[in-house]
Amino acid sequence: MSADNPKVPYLRFNADGTRQAVELRIMNLRPDLSKTLAWEEIGVWYSWKSQGLEVKDIVWPGYAHVPPNGIPEKFHLKIVFMEEPPFINMAPTNPVTGKCPADKGVLCRIATDAMMIGVNVTEATRNSSYYRCCSGFCIDLLVKFSHDLGFSYDFSRVEDGIWGAIVNGKWTGLPSAILAGKADMVMTSIKINSQREQVMEFTVPFLDTGIAMVVSKRTGIISPTAFLEPFDLASWMLVAFVAIQVAAVAIFLFEWLSPSGYNMKMQPPRDHPFSLFRTLWLVWAILFQAAVNVDCPKGFTARFMGNVWAMFALIFLAIYTANLAAFMITREEFHDMSGLDDKRLQNPTSVKPRFKFGTMLHGHTDVVLKSAFPEMHTYMRQFNQTNALEGVKAVKKGQLDAFIYDATVLEYLTGQDDECKLLTVGSWYALTGYGVAFPRNSKYLKMFNNQILKYRESGELERLSRFWFTGACKPDQPKNSSSEPLALEQFMSTFVMLGFGVVLGGILLALEHMYFKHIRKHLVKRDMTGGCCNLISMSMGKSITMREVVREAQEQYNGSHCNDPLCDTDLWRVKHELDMAKLRIVDLETQMVSHGIVRRDRRYELRRQASIEDSDAVHVCDDYSAEAFRRKRQVVALLSRGSVPEHSDFFNDDCGEPLLRPRDMTQDIVRSNEPIRGPLLAMRHRGREVAELETVL
């Protein structure tokens, strides 16, 4: 101890010449009362004391009472890469300045170390054979690493230009650069696998990936059976063999049972040509809305059933037409494979032509396929490509049917395709991730892992992914827009409606029979004048009113006009047959008179006829000799052969009147050229018998 200060030890020195006991005074540059900076002692440190530091308050720069954050230690890294869009894209530098455009990446060297010997670096940056501008997902991530961790770097391409695999017992590509000490870090889309982890260390994955396949979409042709595809097979069978037949049988059965139709008779009415085959024709015509002539049923129940079938046909055609548009278009075809275990990959020669596919040599995909599918790997070796871009081009040109590679890269390339002809198919295989690679026991691994976890939590990695991996094409959209045939369950409501119509038709048939058996006779008694029933239904009013029945029968007998041209033709044919029959009757009467069988009293006949109608409307002659009958027979014979002129009047009877008169074509009622006698005259007095037609109407 010092004599002057017992607390201070004697002055002694160490072997290296340094003092054993040291006393240091701590000074702080701070402003005084006049705001002038001055040194002020704020503490003392004694080396011989365990608690030798005595410090007052410190004024830090900026008049702060806490120290500023420390600046991390700067370090430099040699980084190697392999280009692969969108992780690393390369573009030429500015030929004048030798720099990359603003915010367009960083300088990356593609020349080897041997090429750079004796080369001016400033001049080399202007030459695209030495330097390029690199940009992409990994470049943005590297720039962020450099800023946050505070390091500088040299960024150069691996010299052999391959990703790296074990070839002849030695590593090539990126792992070789790490093992040789030429690089401190690998920053690119390098996949993590067990082989590489034996010689390198990887960070936690910054992006997930797997193995997938890319195929090309081809323009197909419209299927010959496209018109059948709107419905499945079960729906078509149900319509063709059940619905149509049931509807036809139901309509015909209701018509056969209806009192206003067949009325359960085995022969159809004379004026109602309706049969089972005609019903089938009606059903088919309604179903396809064909503009053809059909025979309609008369029964109310059968007509109701026809309306039910028309509603069924309307719904059927509406659904069919709406769904047909989705199938009658040109479709895009592609090889829809399930994955690497697809039979076309496992046995490519089983299809004609054989299935051609490949991958890229000495990459992660090549190593996995060689280990998991050796036979497939041997076959596809002849179709392998140098990089992913060449493989995609080969698929688009039709040189390959499929290209197998990293799923993330393939999805990016399909999204960037200008023609949108590429499509990734199948499930991902051998799921893994991309990581940053370092030599084993690297001191930088931990800090990079921490940064990747921070970027994942903050969403920075997701933001970079959306920016670099979003493309214009959506390869999944064609799968979602494909049309499927309508199943039977989707079309069942129309069949339920048809069945309900059949049941309701049966109920209406029972009501129709009940009306004819029990209700109609009461309506006849209460509505003899055709009153309120005509307001409900004109057909029902006519059927139960005697006056209407008689009037309708008289109109039919007198020959009223027809609205249908076909009806006019049939009516003319019947009237012509009636005229010929009357001529034949006259001929027979002439023969009977000539043989002396019958001799009629013409005056008596005239008196009977005068009581019915005006005598001027009937041609009567008081004296009708046998010679007149003979001449008239000759006229009839000539007329039947077409030898007599249409307006012949040179054959006259005994009264000087022509035996034949030309028909008056302005009248719609055929009048006979002969006097009305015998059965024809008697029918004019049988008006009461017309009322018996009621049961027919």
Side-chain angles (χ1 to χ4, degrees):
M1 293 291 179
S2 163
D4 299 334
N5 189 356
K7 296 182 179 181
V8 178
Y10 289 104
L11 181 64
R12 291 186 178 90
F13 295 93
N14 296 319
D16 58 358
T18 59
R19 289 183 59 176
Q20 292 183 354
V22 179
E23 179 182 345
L24 299 177
R25 299 182 183 276
I26 302 173
M27 308 297 290
N28 184 205
L29 184 63
R30 59 172 62 182
D32 57 11
L33 297 176
S34 62
K35 304 299 181 180
T36 303
L37 295 177
W39 291 101
E40 180 181 348
E41 182 179 342
I42 60 172
V44 181
W45 177 69
Y46 301 101
S47 64
W48 64 87
K49 293 182 179 181
S50 59
Q51 301 291 333
L53 179 62
E54 298 176 0
V55 181
K56 300 178 182 179
D57 292 336
I58 302 176
V59 178
W60 298 95
Y63 304 100
H65 293 280
V66 293
N69 295 328
I71 300 175
E73 180 184 359
K74 288 282 186 179
F75 58 95
H76 185 81
L77 295 175
K78 293 182 292 183
I79 305 175
V80 293
F81 72 92
M82 270 292 295
E83 70 277 6
E84 185 174 64
F87 295 95
I88 296 180
N89 305 308
M90 292 197 303
T93 60
N94 191 311
V96 178
T97 62
K99 297 180 179 180
C100 296
D103 299 329
K104 293 296 183 181
V106 299
L107 278 175
C108 52
R109 179 169 60 89
I110 62 173
T112 62
D113 293 338
M115 294 174 60
M116 294 300 299
I117 298 176
V119 176
N120 189 319
V121 176
T122 304
E123 296 293 334
T125 55
R126 301 188 182 99
N127 191 339
S128 60
S129 300
Y130 289 88
Y131 281 89
R132 297 282 183 90
C133 285
C134 291
S135 62
F137 178 89
C138 288
I139 299 301
D140 288 354
L141 189 59
L142 175 62
V143 171
K144 193 163 184 62
F145 279 144
S146 175
H147 179 269
D148 294 341
L149 297 178
F151 66 89
S152 58
Y153 55 88
D154 290 330
F155 202 55
S156 60
R157 187 175 185 266
V158 65
E159 292 189 356
D160 57 4
I162 57 178
W163 289 92
I166 299 177
V167 180
N168 298 325
K170 295 182 179 181
W171 278 97
T172 60
L174 297 173
S176 176
I178 293 290
L179 292 175
K182 296 181 179 180
D184 302 318
M185 172 178 161
V186 175
M187 188 64 186
T188 185
S189 56
I190 184 171
K191 272 74 65 180
I192 304 172
N193 60 34
S194 58
Q195 272 191 339
R196 291 171 177 172
E197 284 185 324
Q198 294 176 3
V199 295
M200 296 185 297
E201 288 187 330
F202 288 90
T203 61
V204 294
F206 56 80
L207 202 62
D208 297 326
T209 186
I211 297 176
M213 291 169 287
V214 63
V215 296
S216 179
K217 293 181 286 189
R218 307 182 304 274
T219 301
I221 60 175
I222 299 178
S223 173
T225 60
F227 70 97
L228 296 176
E229 295 180 7
F231 299 109
D232 59 2
L233 180 60
S235 298
W236 282 117
M237 298 292 287
L238 193 58
V239 171
F241 297 104
V242 178
I244 294 177
Q245 318 305 325
V246 168
V249 172
I251 293 175
F252 180 75
L253 182 62
F254 291 154
E255 181 69 6
W256 185 77
L257 296 174
S258 175
S260 57
Y262 275 62
N263 198 16
M264 293 182 287
K265 296 179 180 179
M266 299 307 297
Q267 295 294 331
R270 292 182 56 185
D271 57 344
H272 185 33
F274 201 73
S275 63
L276 180 59
F277 281 5
R278 290 174 181 262
T279 308
L280 283 171
W281 176 250
L282 171 66
V283 168
W284 280 102
I286 294 177
L287 179 62
F288 294 108
Q289 298 183 357
V292 296
N293 291 328
V294 294
D295 296 313
C296 298
K298 287 187 175 181
F300 173 76
T301 309
R303 292 190 177 188
F304 170 79
M305 188 61 209
N307 291 331
V308 173
W309 174 251
M311 185 179 298
F312 174 91
L314 177 64
I315 299 174
F316 174 82
L317 288 179
I319 297 175
Y320 176 80
T321 305
N323 206 31
L324 182 64
F327 292 92
M328 296 297 291
I329 58 176
T330 302
R331 299 182 180 181
E332 291 181 338
E333 300 177 350
F334 58 91
H335 298 290
D336 190 9
M337 294 182 289
S338 59
L340 292 182
D341 55 350
D342 193 276
K343 64 178 182 179
R344 283 168 286 189
L345 300 179
Q346 299 295 328
N347 190 10
T349 58
S350 62
V351 294
K352 300 297 181 182
R354 63 174 181 167
F355 200 77
K356 296 177 292 185
F357 58 95
T359 186
M360 191 180 69
L361 279 174
H362 307 307
H364 169 74
T365 305
D366 184 55
V367 173
V368 172
L369 294 179
K370 184 178 181 180
S371 174
F373 306 98
E375 295 182 0
M376 185 172 68
H377 180 268
T378 303
Y379 169 80
M380 62 188 293
R381 187 179 301 171
Q382 55 185 319
F383 304 113
N384 286 339
Q385 304 294 316
T386 57
N387 54 58
L389 288 176
E390 294 297 326
V392 169
K393 290 180 181 179
V395 171
K396 290 185 65 176
K397 293 179 181 179
Q399 299 173 356
L400 292 180
D401 296 315
F403 182 72
I404 307 174
Y405 196 62
D406 294 340
T408 305
V409 177
L410 292 182
E411 288 187 351
Y412 167 76
L413 294 177
T414 56
Q416 296 296 321
D417 182 33
D418 295 336
E419 300 175 305
C420 293
K421 292 178 60 177
L422 298 175
L423 190 68
T424 55
V425 295
S427 57
W428 289 12
Y429 183 80
L431 298 180
T432 182
Y434 301 105
V436 182
F438 294 91
R440 296 191 65 82
N441 303 319
S442 174
K443 63 179 180 180
Y444 305 114
L445 179 64
K446 185 176 181 180
M447 66 174 67
F448 275 85
N449 275 335
N450 292 334
Q451 287 301 124
I452 291 176
L453 293 177
K454 289 180 181 179
Y455 297 156
R456 189 183 295 275
E457 292 174 358
S458 64
E460 186 66 24
L461 291 177
E462 184 179 357
R463 184 189 66 82
L464 291 176
S465 299
R466 288 199 305 267
F467 179 81
W468 286 105
F469 291 95
T470 301
C473 294
K474 303 295 182 183
D476 294 332
Q477 284 185 354
K479 297 181 181 179
N480 297 332
S481 61
S482 59
S483 300
E484 296 293 337
L486 292 178
L488 182 61
E489 293 78 8
Q490 299 170 298
F491 192 57
M492 183 59 68
S493 59
T494 53
F495 292 99
V496 173
M497 181 204 69
L498 184 61
F500 179 76
V502 174
V503 175
L504 186 58
I507 297 175
L508 292 177
L509 178 65
L511 294 177
E512 187 177 7
H513 275 275
M514 185 180 299
Y515 165 76
F516 274 91
K517 290 183 178 179
H518 305 289
I519 302 176
R520 185 169 177 271
K521 58 184 179 180
H522 299 289
L523 291 177
V524 171
K525 295 178 181 179
R526 294 178 178 272
D527 201 4
M528 294 298 295
T529 60
C532 62
C533 289
N534 279 315
L535 299 178
I536 300 174
S537 172
M538 294 182 64
S539 298
M540 183 176 68
K542 290 180 180 180
S543 66
I544 65 176
T545 305
M546 183 67 64
R547 181 181 300 173
E548 293 293 336
V549 173
V550 173
R551 186 182 62 81
E552 183 177 355
Q554 289 178 347
E555 288 179 355
Q556 293 182 0
Y557 180 79
N558 294 330
S560 59
H561 284 288
C562 288
N563 295 326
D564 188 4
L566 184 61
C567 174
D568 284 333
T569 304
D570 293 339
L571 186 60
W572 178 87
R573 179 177 55 82
V574 173
K575 290 179 178 179
H576 178 69
E577 293 176 355
L578 180 60
D579 290 343
M580 298 304 296
K582 289 180 178 180
L583 291 176
R584 179 60 177 167
I585 292 173
V586 172
D587 185 24
L588 293 175
E589 289 180 348
T590 303
Q591 296 181 29
M592 293 170 62
V593 172
S594 63
H595 290 80
I597 299 176
V598 177
R599 183 66 178 179
R600 297 189 179 276
D601 188 353
R602 302 184 62 84
R603 291 182 177 84
Y604 174 75
E605 184 177 332
L606 179 60
R607 286 195 301 269
R608 295 187 61 185
Q609 181 176 329
S611 63
I612 300 173
E613 60 183 4
D614 194 8
S615 59
D616 295 336
V618 183
H619 171 58
V620 179
C621 183
D622 294 337
D623 188 8
Y624 212 64
S625 63
E627 182 62 24
F629 276 107
R630 185 185 64 80
R631 292 199 309 270
K632 189 165 186 174
R633 180 180 178 184
Q634 294 176 357
V635 173
V636 172
L638 292 175
L639 181 62
S640 62
R641 293 195 300 268
S643 300
V644 180
E646 182 180 0
H647 299 285
S648 176
D649 56 357
F650 54 87
F651 291 108
N652 298 329
D653 57 12
D654 295 340
C655 301
E657 298 293 334
L659 295 174
L660 296 178
R661 300 173 185 171
R663 179 179 174 181
D664 186 4
M665 301 303 293
T666 62
Q667 300 293 329
D668 59 349
I669 301 175
V670 178
R671 299 186 182 274
S672 175
N673 292 322
E674 290 298 317
I676 299 177
R677 61 172 69 90
L680 295 177
L681 183 62
M683 288 187 63
R684 304 298 292 269
H685 298 277
R686 294 165 61 185
R688 291 177 297 177
E689 298 178 1
V690 178
E692 298 179 0
L693 295 174
E694 177 188 4
T695 56
V696 178
L697 299 177

